[in-house]
Amino acid sequence: MAKKRIVVLTGAGVSAESGISTFRDSGGLWEKYDIMEVATPEAWARNQDLVMEFYNQRRKQLYEVEPNAAHYALVKLEEKYDVQIITQNVDDLHERAGSSCVMHLHGELKKVRSSVDESLVYELEGWELRKGDKCAKGSQLRPHIVWFGEPVPMIPAAAELSSTADIYLIIGTSLNVYPAASLVGYVQRGCPVYLIDPAEVNVMHIPGVKVIRERAGKGTAELVDELLKEA
Ligand code: OAD
């Protein structure tokens, strides 16, 4: 019999216990940096050095952290389920833990791309993108990140995937950023939806959601054990 499909939407909270800052919690990145100065196409046009430095620091940190219990629990879930991860995170901790299917909605820190042709995407060697690093067409390389105000090219595929879920998990996201936050709207009626987050998240638009007020490490490991028993 075919395995049931579990679609998992993750946000910054799934990587918090690895030591990566979230964005909107107290002490989060958007308290220390102005989104408009580092994460928009206008910021890039205005001050490439500042934007490159912001993402260089994020990338450098990524080489210093490891996946945590939540990432590993999602790998274990593959023993009995077809697990499809949709992540808003630009880190590679799901992949490093061993998850097979990971879709990045907001780009990937370890990749860079042409600033004139978005199909020219490269793996960056090491953590540092420098001024003068060019694509094959001669333009400055930029971080492979979906900035605020830019379209999210993976949304149609993520919406389609969400509509095929037998079970839907949401882990560690404030659900503040659209269109990612609207993906749960594509889930079929009757599909169980679980949300794991230690803080209160607005779930008004998710009828019947089972909220688990735990940190990702503990909450995900416990839910995965339960789901594996049920399978
Ligand atoms: P947020 O910072 O908005 O939300 C993080 C969520 O993680 C909050 O709901 C926290 O309560 C929760 N959290 C904190 N610690 C946790 C833990 N140990 N376990 C589980 N949850 C925990 O981050 P996102 O929702 O991911 O986009 O933000 C979405 C997008 O906004 C990001 O992808 C990024 C950002 O601006 C771009 O940079 C394009």
Side-chain angles (χ1 to χ4, degrees):
M1 206 174 76
K3 287 177 175 174
K4 278 191 174 176
R5 172 167 286 179
I6 300 191
V7 178
V8 190
L9 174 68
T10 64
V14 81
S15 297
E17 287 157 81
S18 294
I20 297 183
S21 296
T22 59
F23 296 95
R24 295 175 184 78
D25 289 303
S26 96
L29 279 173
W30 296 150
E31 219 171 72
K32 295 191 196 111
Y33 298 89
D34 181 347
I35 294 185
M36 301 313 289
E37 297 298 325
V38 294
T40 61
E42 293 76 18
W44 178 248
R46 211 166 32 234
N47 191 343
Q48 292 189 354
D49 288 328
L50 180 69
V51 175
M52 265 189 275
E53 177 59 15
F54 174 74
Y55 287 101
N56 281 344
Q57 289 310 320
R58 309 274 76 72
R59 204 178 294 110
K60 191 174 180 194
Q61 184 193 34
L62 188 48
Y63 283 96
E64 293 158 6
V65 302
E66 300 290 340
N68 65 53
H71 300 105
Y72 288 118
L74 294 174
V75 179
K76 194 170 163 209
L77 197 54
E78 292 187 19
E79 286 171 11
K80 296 203 177 155
Y81 292 92
D82 164 17
V83 179
Q84 304 282 333
I85 297 177
I86 303 171
T87 187
Q88 297 167 84
N89 298 343
V90 295
D91 66 52
D92 61 350
L93 296 180
H94 286 302
E95 289 92 336
R96 272 157 59 189
S99 282
S100 317
C101 298
V102 184
M103 180 189 287
H104 285 270
L105 282 181
H106 294 160
E108 293 172 72
L109 256 186
K110 287 189 174 169
K111 294 183 179 170
V112 290
R113 71 168 185 258
S114 162
S115 40
V116 293
D117 179 349
E118 63 185 37
S119 71
L120 295 177
V121 178
Y122 307 87
E123 294 275 344
L124 186 66
E125 273 180 35
W127 61 270
E128 195 176 17
L129 175 63
R130 297 192 188 88
K131 212 157 193 177
D133 290 346
K134 303 244 167 85
C135 75
K137 292 187 174 170
S139 83
Q140 172 66 45
L141 289 169
R142 57 163 272 183
H144 184 49
I145 302 287
V146 176
W147 285 323
F148 286 89
E150 292 186 319
V152 186
M154 296 309 291
I155 279 292
E160 165 66 26
L161 194 55
S162 298
S163 75
T164 65
D166 296 306
I167 300 173
Y168 205 78
L169 312 187
I170 303 171
I171 308 173
T173 170
S174 63
L175 294 176
N176 262 308
V177 173
Y178 285 81
S182 63
L183 285 172
V184 65
Y186 292 88
V187 170
Q188 301 288 324
R189 195 182 296 228
C191 166
V193 180
Y194 298 86
L195 181 143
I196 301 173
D197 200 296
E200 194 171 338
V201 174
N202 182 355
V203 292
M204 294 277 282
H205 64 305
I206 318 178
V209 60
K210 300 177 184 81
V211 177
I212 301 169
R213 286 285 290 271
E214 296 278 4
R215 281 150 55 107
K218 181 168 186 283
T220 311
E222 287 177 359
L223 179 59
V224 163
D225 281 347
E226 209 176 289
L227 292 169
L228 288 172
K229 271 189 217 135
E230 273 173 21

